[in-house]
Structures are given as C-alpha cells and as structure tokens.
Amino acid sequence: MAMFEDEYYDIVRKAMVGAGLHAADLAACAGFSVPDVQILEAGAAAPNEAHLRAAAAVLGLSADKLADLALRPEPPRAVTVPPPFERLALERAANCYILGDPETRQGVIVDPGDEPDRIVAAVESAGVAPAFILVTHGHGDHDGALAEVLRRWPVPVVRAEPGREFAVGGMRGRVREVPGHTEDSVVFIFDARRVAFTGDALFARSLGGTRGGAAYRSLLDRVAAEILSLPPDTVLAPGHGPLTTAGDERRLNPFFP
C-alpha cells in the first residue's frame, strides 16, 4: 500500500501542469531526453536521482525533498487529534472527518462525500451532536452525501465563506481561502484543537491538482500563507491520504523549497 496519496511522479506531473510544460519542454530545459522525462512522469522504472534533481530545478520544486521522497521516503508519522475525532476513508478514497468539542460534544462533519449511512453511524458512535457541516470545496467526492446527511441533521452548511468564524460548543473555527484546486477551496482551522482541514489544497507531501498557470501559483501562495504558517504541531487533515502536520510539510513537501 502506498504511504501517501501522491507518489514522486504525481508531483512531477502536477508541477509540469502548473508550469505549463510538456515532456519535450522539460527535457530541453533539464538537459535529458524525452523518454527520460516520461519515465519520471509515469514512475515506470526506478528514478534516476540526477534526473529528479534537474527536473526539480526547472519545475521550482525542492530537489532534496523530491529525491528523498522518491528514493528515501520518510513514512508519515502517526499523528493524532484528541477525541472526539474520526477520519473515514470513503468509497472514492476521499476523507470525511468528525470533530467534536470534548466538553459539550457538539461538533462538525467535514466533507461528507460518500456513504451517508456510514457517516451517520460514525457520528452517532462518537457521541457527537453536529452543529455544522463543513465543505472544503465543491467536488462530488467531498460533498456527494451532503443532502442525505442533512436529512439526518438539518444544520447549517459552511462552504466558501473566507473570513468567517463560528463557534461549536467551546471550539472556534475559522475559514480561510486557498483557491487553486478549485476557485472555492477553503481550509477550516480549529486553533484550540490544533487541527486544520485542508481538503484538496494540501496532501501529505503533495498538493491537489490545478489547472496550471495562475491557479497553480495561487494554490502555492495561499497554502504557504494559510496552512504552512500554522504552528508546526498543527495536525493537517487532508481530503485524501494520511494525516500530517504543518511542521512536517514545511520540512518535507517538495512543492515548498
């Protein structure tokens, strides 16, 4: 089983899209052949470290971090959020989360993308009373079960409302804009609980996909400003893949040299 949502070759492909480069462009700039670039894009063979480093220099990635991820990966640490907290890996491999206030048991459901019956059962098992449903962005694997979950708990839905702050029992959440993966992408931050729900803006060691160009640059800038600036022990709960921390992503994510 893969350690992360994205492998090194996914990162190379995403950075190429972001930079607007095709294989021939990257080969010409990095000084090796198109077939060698295609190997890096596909992960079809063990990567050549010199090629990885040359490609990283062209693509604005960290050569050290990309090479380490490809050849000497550091597994994700087992980070936790104090209960009530649940991560559900749903049908389309997207994460849904349940976060509650330990005192009042009021809480939130984040990104109900699939399997509404499973989400309802997990919320009830956790003993959490939902006060809000939070949606990081408008892709179906993150909000596809929203209508069904709302039938069980008709509570307010918080979507693309950057700057908004709201109370959930004794917890306070805040919404910050991180456009790039989609125009309406946001991150939900609960400072006192030391957790941020990043959606597809940021994965462990990677980013969500973008259309390239300005969207890619916006995503890099906003992730750095709104997510990687959080205290290093803040748990980042991404839309896909394992939990990570702000400190680990600053240290190990190839998109941030």
Side-chain angles (χ1 to χ4, degrees):
M1 175 181 278
M3 287 190 289
F4 301 105
E5 173 66 16
D6 284 350
E7 302 288 349
Y8 76 88
Y9 45 84
D10 299 302
I11 292 169
V12 170
R13 285 199 302 264
K14 287 179 177 180
M16 288 174 66
V17 171
L21 297 178
H22 297 290
D25 305 316
L26 180 55
C29 294
F32 51 89
S33 71
V34 170
D36 287 332
V37 172
Q38 291 168 337
I39 288 172
L40 291 187
E41 287 183 284
N48 177 297
E49 183 162 356
H51 291 170
L52 278 171
R53 290 180 173 278
V58 173
L59 296 171
L61 301 171
S62 165
D64 288 343
K65 294 176 186 179
L66 183 63
D68 285 345
L69 182 65
L71 301 168
R72 301 168 288 276
E74 181 177 318
R77 291 190 298 121
V79 295
T80 59
V81 177
F85 176 84
E86 297 288 340
R87 168 181 170 256
L88 305 176
L90 299 177
E91 190 174 284
R92 284 181 278 181
N95 293 326
C96 172
Y97 297 97
I98 300 158
L99 178 71
D101 173 34
E103 300 297 326
T104 67
R105 309 301 289 189
Q106 286 191 309
V108 296
I109 301 168
V110 184
D111 283 358
D114 284 302
E115 302 183 81
D117 291 345
R118 186 177 167 207
I119 294 171
V120 169
V123 172
E124 292 177 341
S125 177
V128 169
F132 295 94
I133 298 175
L134 313 181
V135 178
T136 60
H137 64 290
H139 283 164
D141 57 340
H142 293 265
D143 67 2
L146 178 60
E148 292 92 333
V149 174
L150 280 171
R151 278 196 283 272
R152 174 65 180 83
W153 294 290
V155 298
V157 177
V158 182
R159 291 182 184 255
E161 302 176 47
R164 178 173 175 178
E165 300 194 2
F166 54 96
V168 184
M171 305 186 300
R172 293 201 65 83
R174 54 191 177 101
V175 187
R176 294 296 181 265
E177 188 176 27
V178 283
H181 178 67
T182 64
E183 291 184 2
D184 64 350
S185 291
V186 294
V187 57
F188 296 100
I189 303 167
F190 291 83
D191 294 295
R193 297 284 262 119
R194 281 288 201 271
V195 63
F197 300 97
T198 65
D200 288 0
L202 180 73
F203 303 149
R205 314 300 187 266
S206 189
L207 296 174
T210 76
R211 299 175 304 280
Y216 177 66
R217 176 48 54 189
S218 173
L219 183 57
L220 291 172
D221 290 346
R222 299 311 296 166
V223 166
E226 302 293 356
I227 300 175
L228 299 188
S229 63
L230 293 169
D233 62 344
T234 302
V235 174
L236 305 182
H240 300 264
L243 301 176
T244 183
T245 67
D248 282 354
E249 293 312 302
R250 284 205 296 265
R251 184 170 60 90
L252 298 168
N253 194 308
F255 283 99
F256 300 95

